[in-house]
Amino acid sequence: MTASNGLQPKGVIHGYARCSTNEMRQDIDRQVRELKSVGAQKIWLEYEHGDSVTKEQQALMFETAKEGDTILVLEVPRLARSVKQLCDIIDIVRTKRLRLVIQGSVTMDCRTDCPDPMTEAFLQIAGVFSQLELAMIRARVKSGMENAKAKGKKIGRPATTLHTIPEKFLKYYALYKAQELTVAELARLASVSRQTAYKYLRLIEQNKPKQ
């Protein structure tokens, strides 16, 4: 196990890029570009929150990787967001005799029988800081929400009412009622999802004057 950043692979270099589902597409595109620039041959894309227990692409990557391959990631939080997750990954790397490269930080080479405990400790410490940062962010969000509630502010999306239905939807609603449009066509023309279209339709029906 070494602390060098040089790849010098003797197997396939697997690049792993992850972003949360609510992050911008540009972020994962940036990761892919940077991974390719440092030699990644096969890129695995994950659209999942870092805290998620199951990461399908990551699991498939480790299942596919063979002895002597390299796992390349740009930073620790993209790979793991807790000490337990990181320790589990380290165990897989060790068991499958892979090399784990955190670009610009450290390389953990488990292809040999001479593990370096200092490198392993560095990765675990990095995981601790990632977890601490996440906990601090959550604490700030929770504090902000409680503060807003104390001031009487409503948390979350405002309730949908008949008056909040977009005019564009109401414009095409008449064609839908005349059976000239399907729900799918109505949703497309009104620029809303089909689920939202059904919600608006239920709201209109519920507020119709009784005959």
Side-chain angles (χ1 to χ4, degrees), residues 1-10 12-17 34-35 38-40 61-62 68-79 86 89-90 93 98-111 119 122-123:
M1 203 177 297
T2 66
S4 166
N5 283 325
L7 293 180
Q8 300 174 355
K10 66 177 182 181
V12 176
I13 301 179
H14 300 266
Y16 179 72
E34 293 186 20
L35 287 168
V38 290
M61 174 181 66
F62 281 118
D69 285 358
T70 294
I71 305 298
L72 173 61
V73 66
L74 297 179
E75 51 195 18
V76 174
R78 297 299 172 185
L79 190 66
L86 192 56
I89 288 170
I90 290 172
V93 171
L98 306 172
R99 177 163 56 174
L100 175 63
V101 177
I102 311 296
Q103 182 62 21
S105 298
V106 71
T107 296
M108 188 177 75
D109 195 343
C110 292
R111 299 172 301 175
T119 301
F122 175 87
L123 287 173

Side-chain angles (χ1 to χ4, degrees), residues 173-197:
Y173 172 72
L175 294 175
Y176 166 77
K177 288 301 291 181
Q179 298 184 343
E180 294 182 24
L181 294 177
T182 64
V183 175
E185 291 169 334
L186 172 62
R188 179 175 56 80
L189 290 170
S191 302
V192 299
S193 68
R194 191 178 301 188
Q195 183 179 0
T196 299

Side-chain angles (χ1 to χ4, degrees), residues 166-175 186:
E167 290 185 11
K168 191 175 183 180
F169 184 88
L170 296 174
K171 172 185 173 183
Y172 291 107
Y173 172 72
L175 294 175
L186 172 62

Side-chain angles (χ1 to χ4, degrees), residues 33-123:
R33 286 195 302 272
E34 293 186 20
L35 287 168
K36 286 183 177 179
S37 72
V38 290
Q41 298 165 320
K42 180 173 178 57
I43 306 289
W44 301 81
L45 303 180
E46 191 91 71
Y47 295 92
E48 188 61 79
H49 196 279
D51 285 350
S52 298
V53 176
T54 302
K55 297 184 179 68
E56 292 184 2
Q57 290 303 304
Q58 185 182 103
L60 185 58
M61 174 181 66
F62 281 118
E63 182 181 335
T64 303
K66 302 185 184 304
E67 180 178 335
D69 285 358
T70 294
I71 305 298
L72 173 61
V73 66
L74 297 179
E75 51 195 18
V76 174
R78 297 299 172 185
L79 190 66
R81 293 297 288 269
S82 72
V83 176
K84 183 182 183 305
Q85 287 179 358
L86 192 56
C87 287
D88 289 345
I89 288 170
I90 290 172
D91 284 341
I92 294 172
V93 171
R94 182 189 296 114
T95 301
K96 297 200 70 169
R97 300 177 75 89
L98 306 172
R99 177 163 56 174
L100 175 63
V101 177
I102 311 296
Q103 182 62 21
S105 298
V106 71
T107 296
M108 188 177 75
D109 195 343
C110 292
R111 299 172 301 175
T112 68
D113 295 321
C114 303
D116 179 0
M118 291 301 293
T119 301
E120 191 169 319
F122 175 87
L123 287 173

